[in-house]
Amino acid sequence: MSDMHTITGNQGLQIEEPLIFEQDTPGKCGVDLPDVPNVKTRLGGLERVGKIGLPGMTEPDTVRHYMRLSQKNYAIDTGFYPLGSCTMKHNPRLNEKMARLPGLADLHPLQPHSTVQGALELIDQCAHWLKELTGMPAVAMSPAAGAHGELCGLMAARAAHEAKGDPRKVVLCPESAHGTNPATAAACGYKVESIPANDQGRVDLDALKAALNEDVAAIMLTNPNTCGLFESDIVEIAEAVHAVGAYFYCDGANLNAIMGRVRPGDLGIDCMHINLHKTFSTPHGGGGPGSGPTVLSAALAPFAPVPYVVDTGDGFKLVEHKADSDQQPLGRIKGFHGQVGMFIRSLAYMMSHGTDGLRQASGDAVLNANYLKAKLGDLLTVSYPDSPCMHEVLFDDRFLKDTGVTTLDFAKMMIDEGVHPMTMYFPLVVHGALLMEPTETESKATLDNFIHMIREMTKKAKEGAVEEFQNAPMLTPRRRLDETQAARKPVLKWVPEAAE
Amino acid sequence: MRYLPLSEEDRKDMLEAIGVSSIDELYCDVPDSVLLDKAVETLPTVRGEMEVDRAISAMAAKNTGANAVPSFLGAGLYHHHVPATVDYMIQRGEFLTSYTPYQPEVSQGTLQYLFEFQTQVAMLTGMDIANASMYDGATACAEAVLMANRVTKRNKAILSGGLHPHYRDVTRTHAHFNEFDVISAEPDVDNVEDLIDLIDDETSCVVVQTPSFFGHLNDYTKLGEACHAKKALLVVVFTEVLSLGALKTPGEMGADIVVGEGQSVGNALNFGGPTVGLFAVRKKYLRQMPGRVCGETVDADGRRGYVLTLSTREQHIRREKATSNICTNSGLCALAFNIHMTLLGEEGLTKLSALNHARACQVADKLAEIDGVDVLNETFFNEFTVRLNKSASAVIDRLAEKNVLAGVPVRRLYQDRPELDDLMLVAVTETATDEDIDALVAALKEELS
């Protein structure tokens, strides 16, 4: 904290903001509503009695509250977010405008088909782009997020095995897999077996082949992988997986590196979810909502969940029930038709770039990552120096050895410098990992400033400024927070003082 | 391309620094056989902002939105007025474009609103604690059953016939792939309780909905007692969160898990998504609850602050042992909920809930006077079921041609139940004007006579 103490605790624009419950002025309200008509109620004696406990606030107070909260957040609109595996790229405002159009935002999912032809066309167009870009014949649009898309893909694989009378038991996951991969396999009723990485940061092909047998239902693999590398054996992996009758799930988290340059369908994969917020720029929104359409191979396409849109040639219709389908849908995985609001944003993004722009975008993302690698490689330790990285570059923390500064300390000091830290301690295959992903929407000037900052910080660490690192961040609304206390004595809601 | 800041000059300099001659060279690990040498040719090329705006606006213009015509559709999602302040605030870049708050020092804005949101949801449902939101009500319902199975170490869920068919179907999908049993009671407009007889020593939970899918209201207190006597959990679902402002809470009825859809507060219909699932539980089940949670703590200077907590339940720590595979929430939708609920407050929510109910009562009375319409509910909140003297889908389609969105045909969600063909769900919210109601009544009279 700065030495300057104020009466309020505020520091200029950094204003302390109480919870809404602590600003309660009973009787105040931020909306005007018409009088309630006097009718005989039909609540069957189940009326709510007693107070709910919600605070009273006016509209001006409410605006100021959330404006002040917003000022305590870092965001892609405020600065550089080199967060590996998360793909924090610019979120164009055109997308937001399109998603709010009358006739899209105010459509009910159960309106007659005749009144939603434009919306069904829009879903169909978004699906078309995703299929063409990935070279896959089908896409399930309903998954609500990336992990939900994983579940959809694995359920399709399991449904396909069941249709052959052979449900199988095991799913293989590389040890570098996103944590959601094994959790998803377990949530789909499978036993998970781990596959080690080789010293080149890729899946160990021999170990994989040894693990493949007729009990294996599917393999889950990320490509480009979480070490930032393209799995160069991927075609051979796909062939080996198919040879034992298993399916190939590809985690699409890193599609941003290859869109317009490699079609996952050509690699022999059977299913892949697409995080629309990563690759196609729908905003992360502080942790959601996501959207995870899942592309499917010809083998898995018949098992896509309901509902789905069909172009009849004479208009669009929605197939909402298994019984109305000429396929073998695995069932329903979400209420209604998927995150349509996200399809609109993604379609606006894809149309804006065009196929040529998307190819340029993935190329620039890879160029930016390799630029960081080239400019920082002499200082930080590049984990896999022999291959070009894809859209993210993996370093480890050997450069901090004997300085007393931890990777976490280093990251926290980046915050004081006004940059969001990179991903740390992931992937687990590299000790003390630092995974950086600049994305294609950062300029060379931003990267050069970042490189300068990292070099100066490293110099500081090596010169012995341990305490300064350990005390960081100093300039944020809050300094390091006690996560142990939060977990040990969970306080998950506000309670009035008298009731404590 | 307007979103890409690198110039040709920049690219040239950077390639030189890397020591390669082209971007293509950076893709040398991709087998030649699968590397495209040019952009995918079956898709259009770059377009300016104005062109994209026009193309998407043209698709929007082909639809009939709920703001443009009288609309009485519910069945899980509801058309309400969202104050302008809500959409303005959620479009602040610091909320809209921020990442999951894993670095709490620069995410106190997100974390504080999640803490407020959790408090609001706990208050509304009458439960001890809530998480920071789920994908939607239907997936939250499936997660509630999975959680009940974990807590009770049992494998059979009983679903009420008044549960939304999508919630039932999503739960069944999970049941199929996780090999647990789901018993669904018959669809029933009155939702009369014969569920108690179905509870046995294998039952992990009974799932009921309030108001039911058909709009009916029930006190589930006795059902809760029956569940607890057999060591099963009571899961209470709602699809219209505004009803909680008018009704006895699920917590008061003895619910162990309460889940539902929060779209009605702060969020547009969006043709079905994104929406915001709400999830609340009794304190003793905290560590079995799926999803993200935000907790209060202190910082290095002893000041109050917030962090994501209890992540040991989450996928990134426990992997295949995680309580669920979910690794996101509906953050921005939860913010919209939080802001709208703050604007409403105690006074506003109570009044808005009462207004919804009163308007629905007025419409039910008017419809009951029409020949060929039977109102089937004795109790309801803002949605009820009517029996028409002909197929509801056909009537609704013809009324849509007259620019009245009259309701949802029950059969659309119960495709396998021809006996429900003449039932229509009618939802009435504060958005229905007197003119809208008159238009509905006139159009129905004409169609049914």
Side-chain angles (χ1 to χ4, degrees):
Chain A
M1 201 168 22
S2 116
D3 290 339
M4 169 105 179
H5 290 285
T6 54
I7 298 164
T8 52
N10 300 336
Q11 298 197 13
L13 284 177
Q14 218 177 84
I15 292 173
E16 289 296 302
E17 183 60 16
L19 294 163
I20 49 171
F21 308 98
E22 294 160 339
Q23 302 183 47
D24 181 19
T25 310
K28 282 200 175 171
C29 186
V31 296
D32 290 323
L33 291 165
D35 290 335
V36 179
N38 192 13
V39 297
K40 183 174 145 281
T41 64
R42 262 149 275 188
L43 297 177
L46 287 173
E47 287 80 2
R48 184 163 190 149
V49 286
K51 289 265 177 205
I52 301 165
L54 297 169
M57 280 173 70
T58 61
E59 184 176 302
D61 290 339
T62 304
V63 168
R64 206 164 268 172
H65 175 68
Y66 291 100
M67 191 65 82
R68 287 171 173 180
L69 290 191
S70 76
Q71 291 172 327
K72 299 179 198 304
N73 262 8
Y74 195 87
I76 192 72
D77 276 2
T78 56
F80 183 36
Y81 241 116
L83 199 52
S85 207
C86 300
T87 310
M88 292 297 288
K89 61 162 76 168
H90 171 60
N91 303 143
R93 285 306 167 116
L94 172 65
N95 304 356
E96 295 302 312
K97 183 183 172 195
M98 295 298 95
R100 286 170 171 79
L101 287 171
L104 289 176
D106 62 344
L107 279 194
H108 193 285
L110 295 172
Q111 288 185 206
H113 289 177
S114 61
T115 65
V116 294
Q117 284 298 305
L120 297 176
E121 178 187 346
L122 188 144
I123 296 175
D124 191 63
Q125 273 211 25
C126 185
H128 175 72
W129 276 85
L130 298 178
K131 286 186 287 188
E132 292 299 316
L133 282 173
T134 56
M136 300 285 275
V139 56
M141 296 298 278
S142 57
H148 202 221
E150 288 176 25
L151 197 59
C152 175
L154 269 204
M155 282 177 170
R158 180 151 176 161
H161 283 303
E162 283 171 359
K164 290 186 269 185
D166 179 18
R168 303 193 175 201
K169 299 188 191 75
V170 175
V171 165
L172 306 180
C173 290
E175 55 186 7
S176 63
H178 291 122
T180 48
N181 290 171
T184 297
C188 202
Y190 285 117
K191 187 171 166 287
V192 180
E193 275 180 26
S194 195
I195 301 292
N198 62 22
D199 56 8
Q200 291 305 302
R202 296 185 171 89
V203 172
D204 185 327
L205 190 59
D206 293 334
L208 172 70
K209 283 183 173 169
L212 279 172
N213 58 50
E214 315 252 304
D215 265 349
V216 175
I219 177 174
M220 299 182 87
L221 195 87
T222 307
N223 191 35
N225 69 23
T226 48
C227 296
L229 303 173
F230 194 87
E231 291 281 356
S232 39
D233 292 330
I234 190 147
V235 176
E236 203 178 339
I237 292 172
E239 282 165 7
V241 167
H242 290 149
V244 296
Y247 293 106
F248 189 169
Y249 183 90
C250 185
D251 185 316
N254 295 334
L255 182 63
N256 201 56
I258 58 171
M259 58 176 174
R261 291 177 182 270
V262 179
R263 300 192 310 165
D266 296 337
L267 306 176
I269 68 152
D270 292 293
C271 45
M272 180 180 81
H273 79 266
I274 300 170
N275 304 79
L276 294 184
H277 53 281
K278 294 187 185 187
T279 304
F280 299 112
S281 85
T282 71
H284 273 70
S291 181
T294 302
V295 288
L296 301 165
S297 64
L300 296 187
F303 304 96
V306 288
Y308 56 87
V309 175
V310 176
D311 182 354
T312 65
D314 186 29
F316 295 90
K317 74 168 188 182
L318 199 60
V319 176
E320 293 176 279
H321 299 278
K322 275 185 177 187
D324 297 333
S325 171
D326 52 8
Q327 306 285 312
Q328 301 160 267
L330 62 85
R332 177 181 285 274
I333 61 168
K334 183 189 178 296
F336 307 109
H337 330 319
Q339 311 284 58
V340 182
M342 299 301 149
F343 307 160
I344 303 166
R345 290 171 174 85
S346 299
L347 182 62
Y349 180 81
M350 293 187 285
M351 288 169 78
S352 293
H353 274 280
T355 180
D356 44 343
L358 292 174
R359 182 177 162 86
Q360 184 69 58
S362 57
D364 284 357
V366 171
L367 177 63
N368 276 354
N370 280 285
Y371 184 64
L372 285 189
K373 182 183 167 194
K375 291 289 211 174
L376 289 171
D378 62 319
L379 193 70
L380 314 183
T381 327
V382 180
S383 300
Y384 301 103
D386 297 341
S387 288
C389 59
M390 290 284 100
H391 66 323
E392 52 194 0
V393 52
L394 183 59
F395 299 104
D396 66 43
D397 63 5
R398 268 176 284 177
F399 71 104
L400 292 173
K401 198 165 174 275
D402 301 329
T403 61
V405 175
T406 66
T407 302
L408 184 73
D409 297 334
F410 196 83
K412 294 300 182 191
M413 191 181 275
M414 286 171 73
I415 292 176
D416 272 343
E417 297 290 345
V419 174
H420 194 281
M422 64 271 134
T423 298
M424 294 166 292
Y425 306 113
F426 179 84
L428 305 172
V429 283
V430 170
H431 183 77
L434 293 89
L435 188 62
M436 295 180 187
E437 177 178 356
T439 85
E440 70 276 14
T441 57
E442 297 304 333
S443 66
K444 182 170 177 292
T446 299
L447 301 187
D448 285 336
N449 288 336
F450 177 74
I451 289 158
H452 175 70
M453 181 193 88
I454 295 285
R455 297 195 82 90
E456 291 298 310
M457 281 176 61
T458 305
K459 205 194 284 173
K460 238 184 191 178
K462 288 185 172 164
E463 285 167 0
V466 188
E467 209 175 325
E468 205 180 320
F469 277 92
Q470 287 171 341
N471 285 333
M474 298 288 285
L475 305 173
T476 43
R478 286 293 178 273
R479 294 186 49 219
R480 280 193 222 188
L481 290 130
D482 188 343
E483 305 201 16
T484 312
Q485 179 186 318
R488 203 168 281 161
K489 290 187 257 168
V491 178
L492 307 183
K493 70 169 183 185
W494 175 83
V495 182
E497 256 177 48
E500 267 175 356
Chain B
M1 207 300 126
R2 62 192 179 278
Y3 304 146
L4 302 177
L6 295 185
S7 67
E8 274 311 318
E9 190 69 31
D10 291 334
R11 290 187 185 110
K12 205 169 132 272
D13 290 350
M14 293 164 78
L15 288 167
E16 204 174 309
I18 297 164
V20 293
S21 59
S22 70
I23 287 177
D24 291 349
E25 225 175 286
L26 297 171
Y27 285 86
C28 60
D29 285 331
V30 180
D32 281 345
S33 59
V34 295
L35 187 66
L36 304 179
D37 56 8
K38 53 181 177 297
V40 175
E41 286 178 305
T42 49
L43 291 167
T45 53
V46 60
R47 266 176 282 187
E49 176 161 325
M50 189 171 71
E51 288 173 279
V52 175
D53 191 330
R54 283 183 180 168
I56 293 181
S57 296
M59 284 188 261
K62 291 179 193 169
N63 307 317
T64 308
N67 286 327
V69 298
S71 174
F72 299 89
L73 277 68
L77 294 184
Y78 300 87
H79 178 224
H80 292 286
H81 174 71
V82 178
T85 296
V86 175
D87 205 37
Y88 163 66
M89 289 309 318
I90 68 167
Q91 285 197 74
R92 284 283 298 187
E94 302 95 322
F95 287 134
L96 183 75
T97 74
S98 58
Y99 185 64
T100 308
Y102 290 139
Q103 298 289 344
E105 299 87 354
V106 283
S107 311
Q108 285 298 304
T110 295
L111 288 160
Q112 184 167 334
Y113 83 65
L114 290 178
F115 188 80
E116 293 177 350
F117 169 83
Q118 288 170 188
T119 306
Q120 288 170 333
V121 174
M123 284 175 169
L124 287 165
T125 54
M127 299 298 281
D128 298 329
I129 46 171
N131 74 11
S133 79
M134 311 284 284
Y135 304 141
D136 71 352
T139 53
C141 177
E143 289 284 345
V145 171
L146 291 168
M147 177 180 153
N149 292 349
R150 284 195 301 275
V151 167
T152 59
K153 299 191 171 61
R154 294 178 183 177
N155 264 318
K156 188 167 86 181
I158 297 168
L159 311 184
S160 150
L163 179 65
H164 194 294
H166 287 175
Y167 291 46
R168 176 202 62 195
D169 290 349
V170 174
T171 305
R172 273 187 186 161
T173 301
H174 282 268
H176 174 79
F177 291 104
N178 285 281
E179 293 170 8
F180 63 87
D181 292 328
V182 171
I183 314 283
S184 291
E186 287 289 293
D188 181 347
V189 174
D190 287 334
N191 196 25
V192 178
E193 287 315 334
D194 47 8
L195 297 167
I196 290 176
D197 295 340
L198 294 172
I199 306 172
D200 61 21
D201 293 336
E202 301 301 306
T203 306
S204 70
C205 61
V206 177
V207 184
V208 292
Q209 183 173 322
T210 180
S212 80
F213 176 69
F214 298 98
H216 198 78
L217 303 177
N218 271 315
D219 192 334
Y220 294 115
T221 308
K222 284 210 178 88
L223 179 64
E225 287 163 4
C227 286
H228 299 147
K230 291 275 191 189
K231 295 192 164 38
L233 304 191
L234 176 65
V235 177
V236 176
V237 168
F238 55 87
T239 61
E240 173 50 288
V241 64
L242 279 184
S243 68
L244 297 173
L247 293 168
K248 184 173 174 177
T249 66
E252 284 175 283
M253 297 184 198
D256 298 287
I257 307 174
V258 180
V259 295
E261 178 53 64
Q263 171 268 329
S264 283
V265 176
N267 288 278
L269 289 164
N270 290 319
F271 201 39
T275 54
V276 50
L278 309 184
F279 202 108
V281 301
R282 301 231 170 263
K283 203 171 187 174
K284 62 180 167 182
Y285 302 128
L286 164 64
R287 284 170 204 272
Q288 288 298 330
M289 179 172 65
R292 247 174 218 161
V293 280
C294 166
E296 184 186 308
T297 188
V298 291
D299 79 348
D301 295 326
R303 293 176 299 176
R304 180 176 69 175
Y306 305 92
V307 292
L308 289 182
T309 189
L310 301 175
S311 58
T312 48
R313 308 160 309 123
E314 279 192 48
Q315 46 79 24
H316 60 270
I317 307 281
R318 304 232 308 176
R319 296 169 74 92
E320 66 266 27
K321 290 190 181 65
T323 49
S324 86
N325 80 323
I326 290 176
C327 90
T328 183
N329 63 333
S330 289
L332 203 70
C333 300
L335 173 62
F337 181 101
N338 177 230
I339 298 170
H340 191 184
M341 194 58 80
T342 299
L343 286 166
L344 288 165
E346 185 87 17
E347 294 258 324
L349 178 68
T350 307
K351 192 170 179 187
L352 182 59
S353 297
L355 187 60
N356 269 255
H357 179 57
R359 293 300 264 171
C361 288
Q362 289 179 323
V363 174
D365 287 344
K366 287 195 173 178
L367 294 185
E369 288 169 13
I370 301 173
D371 282 342
V373 179
D374 262 340
V375 176
L376 302 185
N377 297 59
E378 298 214 344
T379 62
F380 57 86
F381 172 64
N382 69 353
E383 183 166 25
F384 52 86
T385 308
V386 297
R387 173 170 282 130
L388 305 178
N389 63 5
K390 43 180 90 160
S391 162
S393 301
V395 171
I396 287 165
D397 286 349
R398 271 194 296 275
L399 261 57
E401 288 167 22
K402 297 175 185 171
N403 275 330
V404 175
L405 298 173
V408 173
V410 168
R411 187 75 192 282
R412 180 155 173 188
L413 294 107
Y414 279 107
Q415 177 264 0
D416 56 340
R417 297 283 183 161
E419 73 274 20
L420 305 179
D421 198 53
D422 53 2
L423 300 186
M424 174 169 82
L425 293 177
V426 179
V428 188
T429 71
E430 78 287 353
T431 61
T433 62
D434 289 342
E435 293 75 23
D436 290 345
I437 295 168
D438 290 345
L440 171 69
V441 170
L444 257 185
K445 265 187 189 162
E446 191 181 287
E447 189 59 37
L448 298 178
S449 63

